[in-house]
Amino acid sequence: MQARSEAGSEVGGEAGVEAGSETGAESGVDARSKAGGEVAVEAGSETWAKAGAETEARARARGKGKAKGKAWAELLRLPALFTVPGDALAGAAAVGARPNSRTLLAIGSSLCLYEAGMALNDWADRAEDAVDRPHRPLPSGRIHPAAALAAAGALTAAGLALAARAGGPSLAVAAPLAATVWAYDLALKRTPAGPAAMATARGLDVLLGATTTGRAPRGAPPLSDPNALRRTAARGLDVLLDATTTGRAPRGAPPLPGPLSRTAARCLDLLLGATTTGRTPGGAPPLPAPSAPRRTSVRHALPTALTMAGHTLAVTAVSRRETQGGSSAAPLAALATTAALAWRLMSAPTVAGQPGASPVAVSPQPADLTSTPPHPGPVEAARPTSGRGRVEASSARRGRVPVAVPRAWLHRAPCLGASRNSTEAALRGALALAYAMTFARPLFHAVLNPSPPLTQRAVGGGIRAMIPLQAALAARAGAPVTALLTAALAPAARKFARKVSVT
């Protein structure tokens, strides 16, 4: 009995020990698991907190970068940049030159000098803006004044370097332009000579484009002798006429068919007669006299430069009271100036050196090739044939070469010329009207109520109106493609002006 009790005690003790061990082991595992989970949760929380802090820091950096970029955009008045390329394009059109790579250099130089003036303007007006316009970048502390002054100096150097790259004549115009910009911002702005200085800068910008684009390429011979140019053209036409009438084409070129050869011979005969004698067929516009001034001279861009200067003078006079308001005299004078310039833009253009003559005037009468006077060239004068509406020409050097030119072709030429005249006149009138409406409407409001907001709106309208004015001047000079390219800048300027003010 006692043995069984001892055995039961041992069994119970062992079972208790085993149960206790199992319970302790499970408790330890549970404790370790709980501690490990808490450590993992804490590590995850720290990771998420660190990631959130980094994201917030990047967001703050991006926001700070955007704010800095917006501050510089306000300082430089970036939407006003769209009014600059039209100066060089209008100057190029005024001298009868197509835009080329040198025009791009002139535009780049103008953009740099224009932005230099913007930065320097705010640096010079920082004390006044602290009272009247504390939201500007310098008074608000978003841009340091030393940074604005350094930017003005760097942009001026870049503009002069681009002008020097275009050539000495371009630098000779860009240097006075840069001096005028700095003199206006630092000394002349608050004097009576301020508007005139700003107008001079805009006129010099037009002349920069005319000088740079109209300059002959490096190494090209000057074309200062119209008689030499005429003799060279006559010699070239004579050679072409020989090749056409004899059928001997240049080496490697296929011979011309018979009818085409005869037609080409007649056309070359007429060109040679007009070149050597200066007398053109009846109904055709006369050739310019040898003594007539060449249109590529920069002085022919002076009317365009004066037009842009006059508009700039009116806008600057209005802007002098844009923060105080209170006077309708300047807006009223600017309104009269706008009307006068718009009227001038709608008038018929003239050829340089020939006042009152249209450069594309075409006689309404059909051309008559039979009235061409004889000339001392290698081909005799034309004479009419039997009544079939055709004319003939004969060669005195190497036999007779009959040439037939249908008169129906000649009857179309005046119509084509008149159509071109009407299209260019319509384009010129539309651009002049766009110019007048862009500036006249806010000016009229400023005349009725010369408050600071309406005056500033009038100044902004005057700045944007420079684009259609430049386009109208290009169209008036006979460059419709350049005019359309310039006018295409207006929508972009209007769009960006809603985000950043141009005043």
Side-chain angles (χ1 to χ4, degrees):
M1 190 70 181
Q2 185 176 358
R4 287 197 297 270
S5 298
E6 291 176 357
S9 299
E10 291 177 359
V11 173
E14 293 176 356
V17 170
E18 292 177 358
S21 300
E22 292 177 358
T23 303
E26 291 177 358
S27 300
V29 170
D30 292 341
R32 286 194 298 272
S33 300
K34 185 175 181 181
E38 292 177 354
V39 170
V41 169
E42 291 178 358
S45 300
E46 292 179 359
T47 303
W48 281 106
K50 186 182 295 184
E54 292 177 356
T55 302
E56 185 178 355
R58 286 196 297 268
R60 283 198 301 267
R62 284 197 299 268
K64 188 178 295 184
K66 289 182 179 179
K68 201 72 172 179
K70 186 177 180 181
W72 278 101
E74 292 179 9
L75 176 70
L76 300 177
R77 297 173 175 87
L78 290 184
L81 279 180
F82 293 96
T83 67
V84 178
D87 289 340
L89 295 176
V95 296
R98 292 183 179 181
N100 48 41
S101 59
R102 295 190 302 276
T103 311
L104 295 179
L105 291 175
I107 292 175
S109 177
S110 299
L111 290 174
C112 290
L113 295 178
Y114 187 85
E115 291 295 19
M118 291 296 180
L120 187 64
N121 176 76
D122 273 32
W123 182 85
D125 291 348
R126 61 190 186 279
E128 180 181 345
D129 288 342
V131 177
D132 296 332
R133 295 190 290 185
H135 61 278
R136 293 293 299 166
L138 266 61
S140 61
R142 290 177 290 165
I143 295 178
H144 197 274
L149 183 60
L155 288 169
T156 301
L160 293 177
L162 289 173
R165 180 69 179 84
S170 302
L171 182 60
V173 179
L177 172 58
T180 304
V181 169
W182 281 73
Y184 172 80
D185 287 330
L186 298 180
L188 301 177
K189 184 176 182 179
R190 295 173 182 82
T191 66
M198 182 61 71
T200 302
R202 183 64 72 163
L204 287 174
D205 199 24
V206 175
L207 294 180
L208 177 61
T211 304
T212 305
T213 308
R215 183 176 63 87
R218 184 174 299 176
L223 298 178
S224 57
D225 187 1
N227 289 324
L229 181 61
R230 176 169 290 182
R231 288 193 297 270
T232 304
R235 176 58 182 162
L237 291 172
D238 196 9
V239 172
L240 287 174
L241 184 60
D242 272 347
T244 306
T245 53
T246 61
R248 294 182 296 185
R251 182 177 300 176
L256 292 174
L260 182 59
S261 176
R262 292 190 294 270
T263 304
R266 177 55 181 159
C267 294
L268 290 171
D269 184 24
L270 293 173
L271 287 174
L272 183 59
T275 305
T276 55
T277 65
R279 292 176 293 185
T280 57
L287 292 176
S291 60
R294 295 175 64 240
R295 197 174 174 222
T296 53
S297 176
V298 177
R299 67 185 179 86
H300 294 119
L302 286 177
T304 300
L306 290 176
T307 301
M308 290 301 304
H311 173 78
T312 306
L313 181 68
V315 176
T316 309
V318 176
S319 68
R320 291 168 72 87
R321 300 189 63 85
E322 64 178 339
T323 57
Q324 294 87 12
S327 175
S328 60
L332 188 61
L335 191 62
T337 302
T338 304
L341 292 179
W343 179 263
R344 181 180 181 274
L345 291 173
M346 292 182 181
S347 62
T350 59
V351 178
Q354 298 178 8
S358 174
V360 290
V362 180
S363 172
Q365 300 298 327
D368 183 11
L369 296 184
T370 62
S371 62
T372 306
H375 61 84
V379 180
E380 294 178 353
R383 56 174 180 267
T385 63
S386 56
R388 294 187 179 182
R390 296 175 180 268
V391 294
E392 287 187 357
S394 62
S395 173
R397 180 177 296 181
R398 294 181 178 87
R400 301 169 63 85
V401 181
V403 177
V405 181
R407 289 186 182 272
W409 296 359
L410 305 178
H411 283 252
R412 294 182 183 179
C415 299
L416 293 176
S419 175
R420 178 182 177 184
N421 286 344
S422 60
T423 302
E424 292 183 355
L427 177 62
R428 189 172 65 249
L431 292 172
L433 183 61
Y435 158 68
M437 293 300 296
T438 303
F439 196 22
R441 180 179 298 178
L443 278 178
F444 184 73
H445 294 160
V447 169
L448 297 179
N449 181 14
S451 60
L454 293 181
T455 304
Q456 292 177 9
R457 189 177 301 176
V459 174
I463 294 174
R464 292 192 304 272
M466 289 184 181
I467 297 177
L469 175 59
Q470 294 158 348
L473 289 171
R476 193 171 187 271
V481 176
T482 301
L484 292 175
L485 289 176
T486 305
L489 299 174
R494 189 181 303 110
K495 177 181 178 181
F496 285 99
R498 298 190 185 102
K499 299 179 181 180
V500 179
S501 176
V502 296
T503 60

PDB file of all heavy atoms in Angstrom, residues 18-34:
ATOM      1  N   GLU A  18       6.788  17.911 -15.741  1.00  0.00           N
ATOM      2  CA  GLU A  18       6.678  18.028 -17.201  1.00  0.00           C
ATOM      3  C   GLU A  18       5.654  19.084 -17.593  1.00  0.00           C
ATOM      4  O   GLU A  18       5.876  19.884 -18.514  1.00  0.00           O
ATOM      5  CB  GLU A  18       6.282  16.674 -17.793  1.00  0.00           C
ATOM      6  CG  GLU A  18       7.383  15.636 -17.668  1.00  0.00           C
ATOM      7  CD  GLU A  18       6.943  14.276 -18.192  1.00  0.00           C
ATOM      8  OE1 GLU A  18       5.763  14.174 -18.600  1.00  0.00           O
ATOM      9  OE2 GLU A  18       7.772  13.362 -18.213  1.00  0.00           O
ATOM     10  N   ALA A  19       4.529  19.096 -16.939  1.00  0.00           N
ATOM     11  CA  ALA A  19       3.501  20.115 -17.256  1.00  0.00           C
ATOM     12  C   ALA A  19       4.019  21.520 -16.996  1.00  0.00           C
ATOM     13  O   ALA A  19       3.817  22.468 -17.772  1.00  0.00           O
ATOM     14  CB  ALA A  19       2.239  19.851 -16.415  1.00  0.00           C
ATOM     15  N   GLY A  20       4.756  21.646 -15.855  1.00  0.00           N
ATOM     16  CA  GLY A  20       5.319  22.976 -15.568  1.00  0.00           C
ATOM     17  C   GLY A  20       6.341  23.409 -16.602  1.00  0.00           C
ATOM     18  O   GLY A  20       6.412  24.578 -17.003  1.00  0.00           O
ATOM     19  N   SER A  21       7.150  22.420 -17.038  1.00  0.00           N
ATOM     20  CA  SER A  21       8.157  22.758 -18.059  1.00  0.00           C
ATOM     21  C   SER A  21       7.500  23.189 -19.359  1.00  0.00           C
ATOM     22  O   SER A  21       7.891  24.165 -19.998  1.00  0.00           O
ATOM     23  CB  SER A  21       9.061  21.533 -18.295  1.00  0.00           C
ATOM     24  OG  SER A  21       9.719  21.162 -17.095  1.00  0.00           O
ATOM     25  N   GLU A  22       6.498  22.425 -19.734  1.00  0.00           N
ATOM     26  CA  GLU A  22       5.800  22.802 -20.964  1.00  0.00           C
ATOM     27  C   GLU A  22       5.148  24.172 -20.852  1.00  0.00           C
ATOM     28  O   GLU A  22       5.204  24.996 -21.764  1.00  0.00           O
ATOM     29  CB  GLU A  22       4.747  21.752 -21.291  1.00  0.00           C
ATOM     30  CG  GLU A  22       5.348  20.415 -21.685  1.00  0.00           C
ATOM     31  CD  GLU A  22       4.275  19.369 -21.942  1.00  0.00           C
ATOM     32  OE1 GLU A  22       3.084  19.714 -21.760  1.00  0.00           O
ATOM     33  OE2 GLU A  22       4.621  18.246 -22.338  1.00  0.00           O
ATOM     34  N   THR A  23       4.541  24.414 -19.718  1.00  0.00           N
ATOM     35  CA  THR A  23       3.882  25.728 -19.522  1.00  0.00           C
ATOM     36  C   THR A  23       4.903  26.853 -19.547  1.00  0.00           C
ATOM     37  O   THR A  23       4.724  27.917 -20.162  1.00  0.00           O
ATOM     38  CB  THR A  23       3.119  25.743 -18.189  1.00  0.00           C
ATOM     39  OG1 THR A  23       2.182  24.672 -18.187  1.00  0.00           O
ATOM     40  CG2 THR A  23       2.408  27.065 -17.991  1.00  0.00           C
ATOM     41  N   GLY A  24       6.047  26.633 -18.885  1.00  0.00           N
ATOM     42  CA  GLY A  24       7.099  27.672 -18.871  1.00  0.00           C
ATOM     43  C   GLY A  24       7.662  27.905 -20.256  1.00  0.00           C
ATOM     44  O   GLY A  24       7.940  29.047 -20.651  1.00  0.00           O
ATOM     45  N   ALA A  25       7.834  26.772 -20.995  1.00  0.00           N
ATOM     46  CA  ALA A  25       8.365  26.941 -22.365  1.00  0.00           C
ATOM     47  C   ALA A  25       7.400  27.739 -23.231  1.00  0.00           C
ATOM     48  O   ALA A  25       7.776  28.640 -23.987  1.00  0.00           O
ATOM     49  CB  ALA A  25       8.642  25.564 -22.980  1.00  0.00           C
ATOM     50  N   GLU A  26       6.136  27.383 -23.113  1.00  0.00           N
ATOM     51  CA  GLU A  26       5.139  28.121 -23.922  1.00  0.00           C
ATOM     52  C   GLU A  26       5.108  29.601 -23.515  1.00  0.00           C
ATOM     53  O   GLU A  26       5.002  30.491 -24.348  1.00  0.00           O
ATOM     54  CB  GLU A  26       3.772  27.490 -23.734  1.00  0.00           C
ATOM     55  CG  GLU A  26       3.662  26.104 -24.363  1.00  0.00           C
ATOM     56  CD  GLU A  26       2.311  25.459 -24.088  1.00  0.00           C
ATOM     57  OE1 GLU A  26       1.513  26.109 -23.365  1.00  0.00           O
ATOM     58  OE2 GLU A  26       2.062  24.368 -24.599  1.00  0.00           O
ATOM     59  N   SER A  27       5.194  29.855 -22.229  1.00  0.00           N
ATOM     60  CA  SER A  27       5.185  31.254 -21.763  1.00  0.00           C
ATOM     61  C   SER A  27       6.398  32.006 -22.289  1.00  0.00           C
ATOM     62  O   SER A  27       6.312  33.164 -22.718  1.00  0.00           O
ATOM     63  CB  SER A  27       5.163  31.306 -20.224  1.00  0.00           C
ATOM     64  OG  SER A  27       4.019  30.653 -19.728  1.00  0.00           O
ATOM     65  N   GLY A  28       7.558  31.339 -22.286  1.00  0.00           N
ATOM     66  CA  GLY A  28       8.767  31.996 -22.806  1.00  0.00           C
ATOM     67  C   GLY A  28       8.659  32.301 -24.287  1.00  0.00           C
ATOM     68  O   GLY A  28       9.055  33.361 -24.759  1.00  0.00           O
ATOM     69  N   VAL A  29       8.114  31.309 -25.000  1.00  0.00           N
ATOM     70  CA  VAL A  29       7.939  31.546 -26.459  1.00  0.00           C
ATOM     71  C   VAL A  29       6.990  32.698 -26.710  1.00  0.00           C
ATOM     72  O   VAL A  29       7.234  33.573 -27.546  1.00  0.00           O
ATOM     73  CB  VAL A  29       7.448  30.246 -27.132  1.00  0.00           C
ATOM     74  CG1 VAL A  29       7.032  30.531 -28.571  1.00  0.00           C
ATOM     75  CG2 VAL A  29       8.524  29.196 -27.092  1.00  0.00           C
ATOM     76  N   ASP A  30       5.883  32.672 -25.938  1.00  0.00           N
ATOM     77  CA  ASP A  30       4.928  33.779 -26.123  1.00  0.00           C
ATOM     78  C   ASP A  30       5.568  35.118 -25.789  1.00  0.00           C
ATOM     79  O   ASP A  30       5.361  36.116 -26.476  1.00  0.00           O
ATOM     80  CB  ASP A  30       3.696  33.559 -25.230  1.00  0.00           C
ATOM     81  CG  ASP A  30       2.878  32.363 -25.712  1.00  0.00           C
ATOM     82  OD1 ASP A  30       3.072  31.974 -26.905  1.00  0.00           O
ATOM     83  OD2 ASP A  30       2.081  31.852 -24.932  1.00  0.00           O
ATOM     84  N   ALA A  31       6.375  35.164 -24.754  1.00  0.00           N
ATOM     85  CA  ALA A  31       7.014  36.431 -24.356  1.00  0.00           C
ATOM     86  C   ALA A  31       7.995  36.899 -25.419  1.00  0.00           C
ATOM     87  O   ALA A  31       8.025  38.085 -25.772  1.00  0.00           O
ATOM     88  CB  ALA A  31       7.728  36.257 -23.005  1.00  0.00           C
ATOM     89  N   ARG A  32       8.798  35.938 -25.910  1.00  0.00           N
ATOM     90  CA  ARG A  32       9.763  36.315 -26.950  1.00  0.00           C
ATOM     91  C   ARG A  32       9.061  36.789 -28.225  1.00  0.00           C
ATOM     92  O   ARG A  32       9.466  37.747 -28.875  1.00  0.00           O
ATOM     93  CB  ARG A  32      10.670  35.134 -27.247  1.00  0.00           C
ATOM     94  CG  ARG A  32      11.705  34.870 -26.165  1.00  0.00           C
ATOM     95  CD  ARG A  32      12.780  33.921 -26.677  1.00  0.00           C
ATOM     96  NE  ARG A  32      12.225  32.639 -27.036  1.00  0.00           N
ATOM     97  CZ  ARG A  32      12.073  31.611 -26.193  1.00  0.00           C
ATOM     98  NH1 ARG A  32      12.442  31.738 -24.933  1.00  0.00           N
ATOM     99  NH2 ARG A  32      11.581  30.461 -26.618  1.00  0.00           N
ATOM    100  N   SER A  33       7.974  36.082 -28.601  1.00  0.00           N
ATOM    101  CA  SER A  33       7.219  36.487 -29.791  1.00  0.00           C
ATOM    102  C   SER A  33       6.635  37.889 -29.623  1.00  0.00           C
ATOM    103  O   SER A  33       6.676  38.728 -30.530  1.00  0.00           O
ATOM    104  CB  SER A  33       6.098  35.474 -30.071  1.00  0.00           C
ATOM    105  OG  SER A  33       6.642  34.185 -30.304  1.00  0.00           O
ATOM    106  N   LYS A  34       6.108  38.138 -28.466  1.00  0.00           N
ATOM    107  CA  LYS A  34       5.521  39.470 -28.215  1.00  0.00           C
ATOM    108  C   LYS A  34       6.575  40.555 -28.262  1.00  0.00           C
ATOM    109  O   LYS A  34       6.386  41.620 -28.865  1.00  0.00           O
ATOM    110  CB  LYS A  34       4.823  39.450 -26.860  1.00  0.00           C
ATOM    111  CG  LYS A  34       4.072  40.733 -26.546  1.00  0.00           C
ATOM    112  CD  LYS A  34       3.311  40.590 -25.232  1.00  0.00           C
ATOM    113  CE  LYS A  34       2.522  41.863 -24.927  1.00  0.00           C
ATOM    114  NZ  LYS A  34       1.786  41.752 -23.633  1.00  0.00           N
TER     115      LYS A  34
END
